Amino acid sequence: MDRFWYRPKVHPVWGRIRRNWRQNFTCSRSIYRGAKKHQWYLPRVEDCFHSRTFFRFSRRPAVSQHPDFENRFKRAVLRLGEPDRVPLGDVTIDITHKQKFLGRPLRTPEDEVEFWVKAGFDYVVAEVGLQTSTAIQGAKVNVEAQYALFDYGETERAWVEENKTLIRDEADFEAFPWPNPDQLDYSKFEAYSRLVPPGMKIMGALGKIFNSVWWLMGFQHFAECLTENPALVEKMFHKVAEIQLRVLDRILEFDAVGAVTHADDIAYSEALMISPDHLRRYVFPWFKEVAHRIHAKGKIAIFHSDGKLDQVMPDLIACGFDAIHPFEPKAMDIVANKRMYGDKIGIIGNIDLGYTLTRGTPEEVMAECRQRINELGPGGGYCLASSNSIPEYVPYENFLALLKSVHEYGHYPLAGAAQPAEEVAPVEVRTEEDAHTSPALEIDDSVLGQLMEAVLSGNASNAGKLTAEALESGIEPQIIFNQALIPAMTEVGRLMETGEYFIPQVLQSAKAMSAAVELIKPLILASGRVERVGKVVLGTVQGDLHDIGKNLVGMMLEGRGFEVIDLGVNVPPQKFIEAVQANQADIVALSALLTTTMLNMKAVIEALKEAGLRERVKVMVGGAPVDARFADEVGADGFALNAAAGASLALKLVGR
Ligand code: B12
């Protein structure tokens, strides 16, 4: 006979329970005895505070509420069959939420372990590696000291401004204060090893190889070096990987470590950050080594990357990772991926940070979690988690709703499990052979044709030489601009949109274009026959430090003939107003990558209205979380998905 237990949603006695460590597992004596006898669920203190239903009973199969790494998390990730319930799978949770959950400041390793146990995880997360080293952190902060610092609870963090480069050449490389991996702080691993309760393990969060290299070099410079100084790129990867692998070896020595997440964002919403070829050459061999060392110690290897990974999913599986996290909903179809690869890897994540977790209600979060559990949970192989992390701007109630939903809907056998697979269209995976199949721009052997070719292939020195040659042969500067440079950059934009060019190629082409423009701009200005397409004031809105996409938009706008006044990142509304007034701008172009900061686009539009400028300038918006509906809501004149479309939109806005 099946044994069921009855779960008092909230018993009055819970209200009287004081928050302390023992209350995770125990409560008042009589309830505890009753619970033991009847196999009642012992609710966590949090449940009591957040459920409004008293004495509602539900019939559920008996499930342990204790951490159970081996039989729950590992079983799910390694697809060894259905565990007792769907495990939780997040790695990064902002300290403000942890503190609120515990009801007190989080100061000690004991506090940390207590949080992860109470919240329902089977592991406690310990971060280590280059990202936590004072050498890299210190260097970052020094370089951009004027930068806005963001307060993360008790720690301040800062990011390197994209176009500031810490390591430009071999001399910088040699002079950089590389951390000694043996001197990094492993004390958390020691403390957690002592503190984790039976059934719980440590999740080592190891980061990062690809990201560390470009953070240190600046993405633009890194992208240039991929073609101009591959030896330095090689050396950087070697050095960073050597450090990270030593860190990995150190943490694998701890028996209590059950899994390691290697987090490295190799993609963004639209595409991979660099081409699959570059990833295969510089990055994947190290990933393979990471997974190999983790497996050699009998532990689980998890890979995390934001963005659209479709093109390299088979590569990541071949690297040996056991599971992948977090399947950003905007970029990847998690259900299709589970169908395609669910027999080879565990699937973690997907609860949408773009809308549901950040702007939705707790009910919407629960509904999305329920749907994901039912679609992805059958047979195991799925852990519920956010589509990136739980930053401080996720409302606390939504975070609780995510935690609650595994208890509410995640018990096996799943009550609402989806029927086995109706056929879905496979995810489109572009291969190298697919590349360069689109009709190319018509290019002849003339000097202008060769100049176009130089821009398309990102060859700045050739672009300069050919421009000089064209000028010497008597071709008008305006003709060079309109008939060679602009068509070439338009083609670059198209190739990026079709997935044939990656960010590094676009940056290289923009550099080649600049080399040509530098020669012809003074001549065009001197001739007095300046044909200005328009002026754009561009910036990433206040609170947001992402600038790679914004820079690309700027380059593409310049490539299509606009003058661009780039205000940088974290730009307050007033600064946009001043720049519009000072430059008589035609367009304000706003970029935002965070769900919270995109709301500041509205603040800029309101400020333009207040300053009486709104009728005079057009406003266009873009960035990963932005869409056409949002653009309408905030009263912008247009939205574009990417830099190339942004430049076309700008032309339309100025009536071209
Ligand atoms: C690189 C990156 C970072 C870098 C940024 C470095 C830099 N100098 O820019 C660092 C590490 C600093 C970072 C930090 C953080 N990040 Co971040 N980051 C990314 C990542 C992986 C890639 C962004 C990128 O550069 N893409 C490449 C460029 C080319 O694409 P793009 O920016 O989208 O731009 C294109 C289009 O959107 C468009 N576009 C962009 N702007 C504009 C403007 C106009 C007018 C137009 C027309 C078009 C347009 O054209 C561009 C080119 O085609 C994304 C993942 C993702 N899916 O995007 C997360 C992401 C943006 N980050 C995220 C988060 C959560 C954070 C942090 C809060 C992490 C944390 N927990 O601390 C911090 C916040 C820091 C801050 N206050 O800004 C989330 C945001 C989620 C959300 N919806 O709120 C994302 C989406 C990751 C995810 N999976 O959820 N991040």
Side-chain angles (χ1 to χ4, degrees), residues 59-79:
R59 283 160 62 85
R60 289 268 170 71
V63 169
S64 160
Q65 297 307 310
H66 300 266
D68 193 350
F69 184 90
E70 204 63 25
N71 297 310
R72 186 181 299 131
F73 186 77
K74 184 171 172 181
R75 196 174 162 80
V77 163
L78 297 187
R79 304 156 318 277

Side-chain angles (χ1 to χ4, degrees), residues 458-477:
N459 189 332
S461 67
N462 267 4
K465 267 188 233 146
L466 289 160
T467 307
E469 211 177 287
L471 289 169
E472 268 165 36
S473 70
I475 304 177
E476 290 278 313

Side-chain angles (χ1 to χ4, degrees), residues 21-93:
W21 176 233
R22 288 179 60 234
Q23 283 155 12
N24 281 310
F25 309 108
T26 61
C27 41
S28 91
R29 260 195 129 66
S30 60
I31 294 288
Y32 184 63
R33 269 193 241 112
K36 233 175 139 184
K37 188 170 159 208
H38 303 292
Q39 291 200 309
W40 280 346
Y41 167 72
L42 297 178
R44 293 170 301 105
V45 176
E46 286 300 325
D47 285 341
C48 313
F49 285 114
H50 295 281
S51 172
R52 293 196 196 94
T53 324
F54 285 74
F55 291 108
R56 217 183 56 190
F57 292 89
S58 61
R59 283 160 62 85
R60 289 268 170 71
V63 169
S64 160
Q65 297 307 310
H66 300 266
D68 193 350
F69 184 90
E70 204 63 25
N71 297 310
R72 186 181 299 131
F73 186 77
K74 184 171 172 181
R75 196 174 162 80
V77 163
L78 297 187
R79 304 156 318 277
L80 303 172
E82 293 183 342
D84 59 349
R85 72 160 163 83
V86 171
L88 289 165
D90 267 302
V91 173
T92 308
I93 298 172

Side-chain angles (χ1 to χ4, degrees), residues 152 157 159 162 214-215 265 267-269 273 306 328 353-354 387-389 393 503 543-549 552-553 589-591 593-595 620-624 640-643 646:
Y152 281 79
R157 301 192 326 173
W159 305 105
E162 166 39 31
W214 76 253
W215 284 353
D265 292 327
Y268 64 106
S269 308
M273 298 290 283
D306 293 349
E328 229 187 300
L353 203 57
S387 62
N388 175 268
S389 57
Y393 57 80
I503 307 171
D544 201 317
L545 305 177
H546 295 83
D547 61 356
I548 298 173
L552 279 180
V553 172
L590 304 172
S591 179
L593 270 277
L594 301 177
T595 304
M620 57 189 239
V621 294
L641 197 59
N642 55 47

